């Protein structure tokens, strides 16, 4: 099937990730462009006056708009139960994240809600979030478990993620975040908890059912130490899961260096990263993932994205959507926040949410770019200039969302 997209004012030809330096700050832009999709893949793109002549099975008129790759959200906790607006208010009134956690609230509220939810409830509760994310341009979403914290509830969450992948147009990438926090029944006994969650029968089920591609750990004071993080990721690695780490978020723990040592796909958060660790990342394939929505939501200092980019690193951005520390589902809103708070240019934000985000979930050879042979995950935006997207904070310019060559959403 050949689908020809014509009348494109600007086509942002984001190259396959990871992208750093000049490719990150100024990806090629084709003015007055056209694009040909063949059997779900990008077959040609370029100036309209050089476009192949038909016949085509279908034509799509971009209406003088802009075409960019579908957005990739490479770090989310989007499958959860319940909500925590009470705590949001407590924090506004002055309580800290740690104080709320120590009083038995915070993430433990989400753990209780998830454990009592049936898989059908979990799927039904999460589906509208995915639909809203698709409507704001996100075509691929990494989704973590981590609110179950028992073997059964973690596997239940991963099965819910798989069902959502099958039942919605969004592509979901599953991550086993069995070491998200220490559940109350194991308070003070993190190692005993890790014994249960890395039990061979659990990891074998995850592997044999293909329930996760990545393993992730919250390496932080009060959560898992560097040694425990290494132990968890190594155990998961023996069953084929690629490591990822939540590192240097609230305090500096050295988790990012562990990520590099273990060949992790990404090191995420990095609010407290230092220059020596930035240099370590430069010598690695580990993608730094920055989550400014979290800083916005918590009112805390953001990661030094500008320093990471200026050091030549292929920075990725993600929402970190979750019920506690960031409820933002929209990557375009994250782009606006990254522009104002982190001093990333609108084009850097776009590349960070496409090519580099795809690299953070090891899919850069298939998604996140406009390149011949890449999957046709595309957005048609009702703006004639791509820079207007991040600038028009909170305004949604999406006219069409195309996933695997099919129009899955029209506005
Ligand atoms: Zn997270």
């Amino acid at each position: 099937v050949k689908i020809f997209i014509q009348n494109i004012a600007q086509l942002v030809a984001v190259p396959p990730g990871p992208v750093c330096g000049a490719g990150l700050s100024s990806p090629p832009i084709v003015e007055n462009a056209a694009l040909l999709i063949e059997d779900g893949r990008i077959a040609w793109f370029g100036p309209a006056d050089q476009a192949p002549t038909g016949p085509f099975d279908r034509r799509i008129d971009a209406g003088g708009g802009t075409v960019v790759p579908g957005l990739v959200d490479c770090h989310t906790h989007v499958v959860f139960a319940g909500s925590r607006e009470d705590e949001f208010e407590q924090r506004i009134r002055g309580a800290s994240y740690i104080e709320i956690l120590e009083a038995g609230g915070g993430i433990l509220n989400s753990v209780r809600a998830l454990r009592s939810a049936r898989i059908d409830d979990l799927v039904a509760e999460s589906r509208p979030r995915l639909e809203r994310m698709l409507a704001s341009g996100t075509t691929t979403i990494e989704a973590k478990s981590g609110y179950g914290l028992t073997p059964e509830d973690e596997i239940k969450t991963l099965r819910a993620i798989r069902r959502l992948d099958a039942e919605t147009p969004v592509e979901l990438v599953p991550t086993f975040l069995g070491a998200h926090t220490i559940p109350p029944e194991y308070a003070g006994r993190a190692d005993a908890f890790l014994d249960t969650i890395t039990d061979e029968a659990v990891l074998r089920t995850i592997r044999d059912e293909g329930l996760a591609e990545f393993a992730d750990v919250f390496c932080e004071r009060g959560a898992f130490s560097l040694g425990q993080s290494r132990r968890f990721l190594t155990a998961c690695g023996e069953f084929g899961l690629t490591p990822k780490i939540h590192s240097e978020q609230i305090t500096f723990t050295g988790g990012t260096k562990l990520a590099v040592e273990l060949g992790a796909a990404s090191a995420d958060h990095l609010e407290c990263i230092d220059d020596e660790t930035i240099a370590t990342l430069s010598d690695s394939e580990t993608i730094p993932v920055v989550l400014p929505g979290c800083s916005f939501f918590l009112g805390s200092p953001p990661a030094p994205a500008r320093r990471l980019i200026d050091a030549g690193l292929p920075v990725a951005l993600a929402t970190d959507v979750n019920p506690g520390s960031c409820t933002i589902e929209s990557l375009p809103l994250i782009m606006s926040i990254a522009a104002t708070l982190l001093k990333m240019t609108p084009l850097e934000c776009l590349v960070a949410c496409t090519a580099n985000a795809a690299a953070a979930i090891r899919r850069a050879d298939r998604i996140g770019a406009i390149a011949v042979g890449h999957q046709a995950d595309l957005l048609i935006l009702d703006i004639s200039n791509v820079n207007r997207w991040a600038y028009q904070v909170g305004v949604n310019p999406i006219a069409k969302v195309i996933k695997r060559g099919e129009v899955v959403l029209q506005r």
Side-chain angles (χ1 to χ4, degrees):
V1 180
K2 289 185 177 182
I3 302 168
F4 187 66
I5 306 178
Q6 60 194 37
N7 199 11
I8 303 169
Q10 276 196 346
L11 182 140
V12 187
V14 176
V19 181
C20 54
L24 176 54
S25 57
S26 44
I29 293 180
V30 186
E31 311 275 346
N32 301 316
L35 184 145
L36 178 65
I37 298 170
E38 198 170 338
D39 298 330
R41 293 184 175 275
I42 297 168
W44 181 90
F45 65 92
D49 57 11
Q50 296 168 25
T53 51
F56 306 119
D57 298 289
R58 206 180 140 201
R59 285 174 188 266
I60 294 175
D61 189 335
T66 294
V67 169
V68 298
L71 303 181
V72 177
D73 199 341
C74 64
H75 181 135
T76 86
H77 307 256
V78 70
V79 174
F80 59 86
S83 69
R84 285 155 52 189
E85 58 270 26
D86 293 354
E87 221 177 88
F88 181 62
E89 186 182 342
Q90 286 170 30
R91 252 204 337 271
I92 291 164
R93 292 180 182 280
S96 75
Y97 182 87
I98 298 291
E99 280 165 0
I100 292 168
L101 188 66
E102 282 171 353
I107 191 172
L108 301 178
N109 271 327
S110 298
V111 171
R112 277 189 291 271
L114 189 134
R115 285 178 178 177
S116 59
R118 294 174 309 133
I119 186 165
D120 291 347
D121 302 332
L122 202 50
V123 168
E125 215 179 312
S126 303
R127 187 185 284 114
R129 286 193 277 273
L130 300 181
E131 286 166 356
R132 288 192 294 268
M133 291 166 84
L134 184 73
S136 63
T138 305
T139 50
T140 303
I141 299 174
E142 186 261 10
K144 302 176 196 293
S145 65
Y147 294 115
L149 306 176
T150 67
E152 306 73 48
D153 291 306
E154 286 296 300
I155 286 169
K156 174 177 78 182
T157 309
L158 292 171
R159 286 181 179 146
I161 292 170
R162 185 166 59 190
R163 261 182 59 185
L164 288 160
D165 175 57
E167 293 174 11
T168 67
V170 182
E171 182 175 342
L172 289 176
V173 179
T175 295
F176 174 47
L177 176 55
H180 194 187
T181 191
I182 300 156
E185 64 274 20
Y186 283 96
R189 296 187 295 137
D191 283 297
F193 168 64
L194 287 180
D195 289 341
T196 67
I197 213 74
T198 59
D199 183 79
E200 274 202 27
V202 178
L203 296 178
R204 200 177 305 116
T205 300
I206 291 173
R207 181 191 61 195
D208 293 351
E209 290 187 31
L211 289 174
E213 293 179 32
F214 298 96
D216 196 348
V217 57
F218 187 31
C219 182
E220 185 58 67
R221 206 165 67 194
F224 299 94
S225 69
L226 206 53
Q228 288 160 345
S229 299
R230 179 195 303 276
R231 181 185 154 202
F232 174 77
L233 293 173
T234 305
C236 293
E238 283 166 16
F239 286 82
L241 302 183
T242 303
K244 281 178 170 281
I245 304 191
H246 284 66
S247 60
E248 335 301 0
Q249 180 185 1
I250 303 166
T251 61
F252 183 90
T253 61
T256 309
K257 282 188 178 169
L258 177 65
V260 170
E261 182 198 321
L262 297 179
S266 66
D268 304 41
H269 270 293
L270 312 177
E271 282 85 338
C272 304
I273 196 168
D274 62 5
D275 285 335
E276 193 197 327
T277 309
I278 292 175
T280 306
L281 272 176
S282 303
D283 288 330
S284 80
E285 314 238 297
T286 300
I287 304 292
V289 178
V290 171
L291 307 163
C294 213
S295 310
F296 173 84
F297 195 85
L298 295 175
S300 54
R306 191 71 259 158
R307 261 163 59 211
L308 296 169
I309 292 171
D310 294 343
L313 290 170
V315 167
L317 289 169
T319 60
D320 194 22
V321 58
N322 75 80
S325 61
C326 180
T327 56
I328 298 172
E329 298 165 348
S330 160
L331 270 176
L333 183 51
I334 294 297
M335 292 198 276
S336 295
I337 293 171
T340 57
L341 204 63
L342 305 178
K343 308 298 175 205
M344 289 174 65
T345 68
L347 279 173
E348 286 172 339
C349 293
L350 178 66
V351 176
C353 288
T354 52
N356 288 347
I361 51 172
R362 299 267 167 102
R363 275 167 166 68
D365 58 344
R366 178 160 64 79
I367 58 169
I370 293 187
V372 171
H374 260 53
Q375 187 167 300
D377 290 5
L378 302 165
L379 308 177
I380 300 177
L381 308 175
D382 195 15
I383 44 177
S384 57
N385 169 352
V386 67
N387 278 351
R388 194 173 293 170
W389 200 7
Y391 159 76
Q392 286 273 13
V393 182
V395 176
N396 188 348
I398 286 175
K400 284 186 174 62
V401 178
I402 297 171
K403 181 69 183 173
R404 298 185 179 95
E406 310 248 344
V407 177
V408 292
L409 190 132
Q410 285 201 68
R411 292 172 74 247

